[in-house]
Amino acid sequence: MYLPIASSTGKSISFLNALFTATSATCVTGLVVLDTGTDFSHFGQIVMIMLVQVGGIGFMTMATLIALVLNKKISLRERLILQEALNHGSMDGVVRLVKKVILYSLMIEVVGAILITLRFSREMPWGQASYFGIFHSISMFNNAGFDLYGMIKGPFSGLSSYVNDPFMNIVLMGLIFLGGIGFVVLSDVIEFPTKRRFSLHSKVVLSATLMLVVVGTLVIFAMEYNNPQTLKPLSPTGKVWASLFQSITTRSGGVNTVDIGALQQSTQFFMIILMFIGAAPGSTGGGIKITTFVLLVGAVYAMIRGKEDVILFRKRIAKKVVYKAVTLTMLSLVLIVIFSMLLSLTEHKDFLTILFESTSAFGTTGISMGLTTELSPLGKVWIICLMFLGRMGPLTLAYALSKTEIEKELFSYPEGKIIIG
């Protein structure tokens, strides 16, 4: 991205901007300090979308693909790493899952590219329409949020001109949704006609995703219905499309059809919550993950009901998994709080805007209230760190810094009591 050939002007962009763009692409975030369509050449855009593809399906998945093409054997250690990278339940069949990930990803991206190309062929020559179709299909499926609409409507114009377009809404939302449910769930959905059953993980992800999409749509619709800068000028159908699109994209899509900065503060804060929850494990999305959120809700419900175990779909969840969910959530909150405080020191914006930007970077969501393009050099560094940590995952970082094995205590301490609440 730093090479002169990657810039539309033929001159190198600053190293910090190049690093920010490369990090955003690799972490499939979508936050940009320069407009993708107007500030980068075709070469720069191709490099960007290649980084998105590698970052979306995962480095280990790509490395395994290369090993399989070269007919190399996948070692036990590599299978264990793949199991963790894909959030697979066991090591058994993990290489088969990698093959499915690659096959299903390519199939969905090809179909998406064809559909988007057909739509854009009405506005531009077939060659450019095909280029747009391929770029946006990869970007949307990988929940990256990079777009080239600046080449048509002007820098940072986004998808606002397609807010009333049912075809574009359905295709883009479909790509974001399929990329955000995770490859394990995607495999279950595609193979459901033959297997006739879903795993517990898939049931939790699909049911919780549907619930959040519906609730998100209703809340955004209600809060923005009379906002003259967002939904009010739209037709009743347009209001529904816009509300639904924002509900889906907030959980990691990275594109928007209405001006995020013009939303009501209540709506913006609600979107922060959705961004923090994020997509499913093993997906191209970020956040604490929807299964973590479900476990937290389940733990609260169990405590209120006086139950000892968290039960989901008549299955008892192990306590160590619940502890892991609590740990992940707390570490994520700490990261967002720390970097929001750091951004508050370097950026002269209201705190809600800073919190929104921090959560978007951590959740690798990519939607912005406009702060990203105005970031100071140090502010860009904070967001780069937050995007990287958000994509890597705070729990992964904690494991990397801690001991490799959990030591079993040879004794137990006497039970103590403290007052809570």
Side-chain angles (χ1 to χ4, degrees):
M1 307 306 298
Y2 185 61
L3 295 174
I5 193 175
S7 172
S8 59
T9 61
K11 298 180 181 178
S12 296
I13 61 175
S14 71
F15 177 78
L16 187 57
N17 284 343
L19 178 62
F20 189 102
T21 304
T23 305
S24 184
T26 308
C27 297
V28 289
T29 305
L31 290 174
V32 290
V33 289
L34 298 171
D35 182 64
T36 308
T38 56
D39 290 321
F40 292 95
S41 64
H42 288 306
F43 175 82
Q45 292 163 1
I46 291 169
V47 170
M48 191 182 300
I49 208 63
M50 287 174 65
L51 291 174
V52 166
Q53 184 72 85
V54 173
I57 65 175
F59 294 103
M60 279 305 301
T61 305
M62 290 298 295
T64 305
L65 172 62
I66 295 170
L68 292 172
V69 169
L70 297 175
N71 210 20
K72 288 187 176 181
K73 189 176 180 180
I74 310 299
S75 67
L76 178 63
R77 175 182 170 81
E78 289 166 341
R79 289 171 190 266
L80 286 168
I81 296 173
L82 278 172
Q83 179 190 340
E84 287 297 318
L86 294 170
N87 281 278
H88 196 41
S90 67
M91 197 170 59
D92 183 39
V94 71
V95 176
R96 278 198 309 274
L97 179 60
V98 167
K99 294 177 181 178
K100 290 178 183 178
V101 166
I102 296 164
L103 176 62
Y104 296 157
S105 298
L106 290 176
M107 286 171 56
I108 293 169
E109 288 173 354
V110 167
V111 172
I114 292 171
L115 293 173
I116 297 173
T117 298
L118 291 173
R119 174 63 182 82
F120 278 121
S121 63
R122 291 192 247 164
E123 303 176 13
M124 58 187 73
W126 273 98
Q128 188 180 8
S130 301
Y131 179 67
F132 268 52
I134 295 169
F135 186 97
H136 291 103
S137 181
I138 295 173
S139 178
M140 298 304 142
F141 175 72
N142 289 287
N143 282 208
F146 291 98
D147 67 78
L148 302 175
Y149 299 109
M151 297 171 66
I152 306 173
K153 305 292 182 181
F156 306 106
S157 54
L159 287 164
S160 56
S161 58
Y162 300 97
V163 65
N164 280 309
D165 190 322
F167 184 84
M168 283 293 286
N169 273 275
I170 292 171
V171 172
L172 296 181
M173 286 190 297
L175 287 169
I176 294 169
F177 175 82
L178 292 173
I181 60 176
F183 296 115
V184 173
V185 180
L186 189 59
S187 176
D188 271 4
V189 169
I190 292 174
E191 295 175 3
F192 180 76
T194 55
K195 289 186 175 180
R196 308 301 299 176
R197 64 181 179 84
F198 284 128
S199 64
L200 174 62
H201 173 79
S202 295
K203 289 178 183 178
V204 171
V205 168
L206 291 173
S207 58
T209 298
L210 179 61
M211 181 196 70
L212 285 179
V213 168
V214 172
V215 171
T217 302
L218 293 175
V219 171
I220 293 171
F221 183 86
M223 288 182 173
E224 296 298 317
Y225 189 85
N226 289 316
N227 187 342
Q229 294 179 286
T230 54
L231 297 190
K232 189 174 182 179
L234 303 177
S235 65
T237 307
K239 287 182 173 68
V240 174
W241 283 123
S243 301
L244 180 60
F245 193 95
Q246 263 55 238
S247 177
I248 290 177
T249 193
T250 302
R251 291 190 30 255
S252 205
V255 289
N256 50 281
T257 55
V258 297
D259 183 4
I260 301 298
L263 294 170
Q264 305 279 6
Q265 285 192 343
S266 55
T267 309
Q268 292 167 346
F269 187 76
F270 177 71
M271 293 175 80
I272 287 173
I273 297 172
L274 291 180
M275 290 191 294
F276 182 72
I277 295 171
S283 72
T284 57
I288 62 170
K289 302 298 188 291
I290 195 166
T291 46
T292 303
F293 173 71
V294 171
L295 284 175
L296 292 177
V297 173
V300 172
Y301 179 77
M303 179 62 69
I304 292 173
R305 293 292 301 274
K307 304 292 184 181
E308 187 177 349
D309 297 313
V310 175
I311 307 296
L312 299 175
F313 293 96
R314 298 186 177 182
K315 299 286 185 181
R316 179 176 57 84
I317 308 301
K319 284 185 173 60
K320 67 177 182 179
V321 177
V322 179
Y323 289 150
K324 185 177 179 181
V326 173
T327 304
L328 173 60
T329 304
M330 289 304 299
L331 288 173
S332 300
L333 282 171
V334 168
L335 279 177
I336 290 175
V337 167
I338 290 173
F339 280 94
S340 294
M341 290 171 65
L342 291 173
L343 283 168
S344 296
L345 293 173
T346 59
E347 314 306 314
H348 303 290
K349 286 284 185 178
D350 62 277
F351 187 72
L352 184 62
T353 301
I354 289 172
L355 181 62
F356 192 99
E357 211 78 9
S358 299
T359 310
S360 180
F362 170 79
T364 66
T365 308
I367 55 176
S368 172
M369 289 173 60
L371 176 60
T372 304
T373 54
E374 302 174 8
L375 286 170
S376 65
L378 198 53
K380 291 175 185 177
V381 173
W382 302 142
I383 294 294
I384 287 171
C385 294
L386 201 46
M387 288 190 292
F388 178 77
L389 291 171
R391 183 57 179 165
M392 182 176 68
L395 208 55
T396 303
L397 178 64
Y399 284 160
L401 296 176
S402 65
K403 296 178 181 180
T404 54
E405 294 183 4
I406 299 175
E407 294 181 1
K408 189 174 181 180
E409 296 285 356
L410 300 177
F411 60 92
S412 61
Y413 291 96
E415 185 178 283
K417 292 184 180 180
I418 59 172
I419 300 171
I420 294 178

